[in-house]
Amino acid sequence: MNCNQYYTYKLKVLQHDIKILFDSEFEKLGITGQQGIFLIYVCSNGSVHQNDIEQHFGLSKSTVSGIIKRMLKKEIITKQSDYPFVTIKPTEKAKELLEEMGSVREEINNKLLNGFSSEEKTLLSNMLDRMIANVKEDD
């Protein structure tokens, strides 16, 4: 395995482990990681059309419909049909949940960066920004 493959492998392992952490912590809040990501998107926009969610996340209509159905059941979003659109809005419960999710995100960040100096955190942030820019450069 050459060095470049090794870096991408490590990033993939880290991504997987972070997903497991978030899923585990969000489960304690009564939602899945995917529902948490949808909730952040909906709350940050105030309201969205279902097809916006499909396009933003690159998911099929049936996948998004299933996630929305489960979120409706948990009363964290509302759905309004305005043909041809379906508008999704967060509830008050969602806004409270979003605050709890922020605490989870902070705890996970602290866990990930445990033992890092402020200089190392800055360096890591800069390197990650450069990696993201490098990937987007190819798009």
Side-chain angles (χ1 to χ4, degrees):
M1 186 179 296
N2 72 36
C3 287
N4 289 334
Q5 290 173 330
Y6 193 58
Y7 295 133
T8 56
Y9 170 75
K10 284 183 175 185
L11 287 170
K12 186 68 176 167
V13 169
L14 181 60
Q15 175 192 18
H16 175 74
D17 291 347
I18 290 171
K19 181 187 180 313
I20 289 171
L21 272 173
F22 271 103
D23 286 347
S24 171
E25 292 301 315
F26 282 3
E27 186 177 317
K28 294 174 188 174
L29 300 176
I31 61 172
T32 66
Q34 186 71 57
Q35 290 169 350
I37 292 168
F38 273 39
L39 188 58
I40 291 167
Y41 179 73
V42 171
C43 287
S44 67
N45 289 290
S47 71
V48 295
H49 294 128
Q50 181 172 333
N51 61 339
D52 293 334
I53 296 171
E54 294 162 12
Q55 291 174 2
H56 182 78
F57 292 101
L59 298 171
S60 69
K61 183 175 185 159
S62 62
T63 298
V64 172
S65 291
I67 295 169
I68 287 172
K69 183 178 178 181
R70 290 183 289 282
M71 292 174 76
L72 285 165
K73 196 173 188 176
K74 294 176 183 182
E75 300 178 345
I76 53 178
I77 58 168
T78 61
K79 178 173 112 172
Q80 181 180 346
S81 294
D82 299 317
Y83 186 82
F85 300 107
V86 175
T87 303
I88 308 298
K89 293 182 180 181
T91 63
E92 283 304 313
K93 183 177 178 179
K95 294 171 187 172
E96 293 167 12
L97 191 55
L98 199 61
E99 284 185 36
E100 293 179 62
M101 290 167 51
S103 297
V104 166
R105 195 170 45 247
E106 189 174 327
E107 287 174 26
I108 290 174
N109 279 334
N110 289 339
K111 182 174 188 166
L112 287 168
L113 298 171
N114 184 31
F116 282 62
S117 69
S118 58
E119 292 83 15
E120 288 172 320
K121 291 175 186 176
T122 300
L123 180 60
L124 176 61
S125 180
N126 291 338
M127 291 187 324
L128 291 171
D129 287 343
R130 285 176 49 196
M131 292 171 82
I132 291 167
N134 287 345
V135 170
K136 289 185 179 191
E137 195 174 273
D138 292 341
D139 289 344

